[in-house]
């Protein structure tokens, strides 16, 4: 977080002996995880040697599975994307297993490294202790044992997590500086569905078998414009997901009209930012329900901050007033209001 930094400055933070810090630094250097980048300015004594995380060296293969497409990316220790590829997601679990393993194996073969590991995110419940995705509602997948299959075919260790949990970790490690100093916050991912990641005391709270954070299925209203992945029209997901935004936009037009056909969330947000009234109205109506859901999270969990992520953040100037005015109603008088902000992270966290 504070690189470039010297050994002496590191030693001041955890109040450890310099000899202990030097031993740890030497170990990390030998592992190829950090590097010396030059000499810093003197504050009166000898000029310090500056250290930072070693960038440019492949350390992780990330697999992000969404209902519509899957991304496989190679990253270094600082989170920089070195290479990636995308392909359409199939509802066939066996086909997706073979596709993922084949592409992971290709990256591993191209960048031979003893440090390479695989991280997988899914839009569903993931049990890190077993390496299985217990349930992905969009495809009705149960007990998808992808980590075991990757290890069997590539000898690479793999871990799996819910997509919103992964975003929460990314915010903790790479997000805004003021958020990195917050120990209790919630991330809300607005996508095909809605996911929430919970950080308590600087750690992801996953609950029993990774099932925590399924707030997309809490009831926030009735007669939503689309069905939730569970089949209900009462859930937060049905009222506030990208699917709901698109459905509201399409409902502005006569069924025989072609105005709303072929629209996706990227095009809709682009239209809204150019002043399209129907697109703006669809986003603002959805923002009300996002705000209701966040209001419930604030009442139940009392976080220091709530971070909204997903494509919808590109329309933050359109939705923020509507969303904040509703969410802030839930703040009790004697308590400080949590910070509610849009994520600044993308493919290249800094």
């Amino acid at each position: 977080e504070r690189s470039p930094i010297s050994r002496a400055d590191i030693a001041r933070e955890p109040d450890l002996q310099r000899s202990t810090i030097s031993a740890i630094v030497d170990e990390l250097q030998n592992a190829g995880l950090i590097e010396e980048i030059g000499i810093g300015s003197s504050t009166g004594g000898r000029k310090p040697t500056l250290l930072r995380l070693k960038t440019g060296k492949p350390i992780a293969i990330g697999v992000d599975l969404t209902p519509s497409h899957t991304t496989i990316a190679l990253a270094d220790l600082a989170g920089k994307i070195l290479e990636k590829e995308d392909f359409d997601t199939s509802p066939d679990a066996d086909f997706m297993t073979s596709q993922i393993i084949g592409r992971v194996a290709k990256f591993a073969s191209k960048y031979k490294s003893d440090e390479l590991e695989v991280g997988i995110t899914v839009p569903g419940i993931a049990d890190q202790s077993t390496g299985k995705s217990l349930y992905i509602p969009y495809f009705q997948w149960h007990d998808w044992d992808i980590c075991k299959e990757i290890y069997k075919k590539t000898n690479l260790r793999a871990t799996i997590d819910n997509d919103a949990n992964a975003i929460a970790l990314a915010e903790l490690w790479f997000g805004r500086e003021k958020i990195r100093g917050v120990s209790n916050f919630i991330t809300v991912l607005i996508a095909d569905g809605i996911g929430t990641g919970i950080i308590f005391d600087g750690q992801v709270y996953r609950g029993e078998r990774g099932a925590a954070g399924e707030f997309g299925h809490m009831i926030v209203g009735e007669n939503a414009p689309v069905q939730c992945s569970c089949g209900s029209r009462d859930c937060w997901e049905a009222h506030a997901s990208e699917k709901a935004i698109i459905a509201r936009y399409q409902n502005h037009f006569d069924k025989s009209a072609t105005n709303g056909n072929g629209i996706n969330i990227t095009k809709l947000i682009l239209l809204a930012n150019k002043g399209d009234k129907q697109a703006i109205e669809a986003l603002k109506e959805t923002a009300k329900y996002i705000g209701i859901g966040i209001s419930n999270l604030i009442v139940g969990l009392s976080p220091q901050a709530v971070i909204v992520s997903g494509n919808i953040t590109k329309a933050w100037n359109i939705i923020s007033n509507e969303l904040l005015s509703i969410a802030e109603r839930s703040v009790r008088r004697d308590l400080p209001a949590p910070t509610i902000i849009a994520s600044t992270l993308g493919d290249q966290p800094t």
Side-chain angles (χ1 to χ4, degrees):
E1 289 180 10
R2 300 191 183 183
S3 69
I5 189 169
S6 68
R7 290 170 175 80
D9 285 338
I10 294 172
R12 291 188 189 100
E13 293 294 321
D15 196 26
L16 294 173
Q17 295 291 331
R18 289 195 185 189
S19 58
T20 303
I21 294 296
S22 291
I24 295 170
V25 166
D26 289 344
E27 185 179 342
L28 293 173
Q29 275 187 294
N30 292 335
L33 300 176
I34 62 174
E35 59 185 351
E36 296 180 352
I37 61 166
I39 305 299
S41 301
S42 172
T43 57
R46 189 172 64 180
K47 290 184 178 180
T49 300
L50 299 179
L51 305 161
R52 72 175 180 189
L53 292 175
K54 191 167 186 177
T55 58
K57 178 184 178 181
I59 202 78
I61 299 173
V63 180
D64 178 34
L65 183 142
T66 78
S68 56
H69 67 277
T70 296
T71 302
I72 299 184
L74 194 74
D76 66 14
L77 194 60
K80 182 180 179 183
I81 303 296
L82 305 176
E83 189 174 342
K84 73 173 182 176
E85 55 184 65
D86 298 89
F87 58 99
D88 291 339
T89 301
S90 166
D92 184 327
D94 291 337
F95 175 78
M96 288 303 298
T97 299
S98 66
Q99 287 293 305
I100 289 169
I101 290 173
R103 292 165 198 257
V104 165
K106 185 177 74 172
F107 275 146
S109 175
K110 184 176 178 180
Y111 300 94
K112 292 180 173 63
S113 170
D114 294 335
E115 287 87 24
L116 266 182
E117 295 191 17
V118 182
I120 305 159
T121 62
V122 295
I125 299 174
D127 185 353
Q128 287 201 321
S129 64
T130 63
K132 291 182 181 181
S133 175
L134 301 182
Y135 181 50
I136 300 179
Y138 292 97
F139 307 125
Q140 300 297 307
W141 292 359
H142 295 267
D143 296 323
W144 188 42
D145 205 359
I146 183 64
C147 293
K148 179 181 177 182
E149 292 300 316
I150 287 175
Y151 185 76
K152 187 191 300 183
K153 298 292 175 58
T154 68
N155 209 35
L156 294 177
R157 182 174 175 270
T159 57
I160 193 166
D161 208 344
N162 170 267
D163 49 8
N165 286 345
I167 287 173
L169 276 177
E171 294 290 349
L172 188 66
W173 294 339
F174 303 113
R176 303 181 193 216
E177 184 137 0
K178 66 178 180 180
I179 293 300
R180 285 193 302 232
V182 169
S183 58
N184 299 295
F185 67 85
I186 300 169
T187 57
V188 177
L189 171 61
I190 307 295
D192 295 286
I194 292 183
T196 55
I198 305 167
I199 299 288
F200 284 155
D201 295 328
Q203 301 290 326
V204 175
Y205 176 71
R206 294 186 173 85
E208 186 70 18
R209 301 194 72 190
E214 290 296 307
F215 289 105
H217 300 294
M218 65 180 170
I219 295 173
V220 299
E222 296 179 330
N223 302 317
V226 293
Q227 277 191 340
C228 176
S229 56
C230 72
S232 168
R233 286 186 181 263
D234 301 333
C235 298
W236 193 19
E237 175 184 311
H239 284 278
S241 64
E242 289 182 354
K243 294 182 298 183
I245 300 170
I246 292 168
R248 288 191 177 98
Y249 177 77
Q250 291 172 329
N251 288 341
H252 281 294
F253 304 103
D254 184 89
K255 297 296 182 185
S256 61
T258 59
N259 307 60
N261 293 343
I263 196 75
N264 60 33
I265 193 64
T266 301
K267 291 178 182 177
L268 192 151
I269 290 172
L270 186 61
L271 286 171
N273 284 325
K274 288 182 176 179
D276 183 285
K277 291 182 180 180
Q278 285 80 14
I280 290 171
E281 191 172 328
L283 283 165
K284 285 188 172 182
E285 179 66 19
T286 303
K288 292 179 185 177
Y289 288 97
I290 298 174
I292 291 170
I294 290 176
S295 174
N296 291 337
L297 297 180
I298 292 170
V299 169
L301 299 174
S302 190
Q304 293 167 279
V306 178
I307 307 168
V308 179
S309 63
N311 287 312
I312 200 167
T313 59
K314 296 170 185 173
W316 192 251
N317 61 318
I318 295 172
I319 68 167
S320 57
N321 287 341
E322 202 80 47
L323 186 158
L324 295 173
S325 66
I326 293 174
E328 288 171 354
R329 293 180 197 170
S330 59
V331 179
R332 284 160 285 182
R333 290 182 182 179
D334 297 333
L335 295 175
T339 301
I340 303 174
I341 54 174
S343 174
T344 57
L345 297 183
D347 282 346
Q348 301 291 348
T350 55

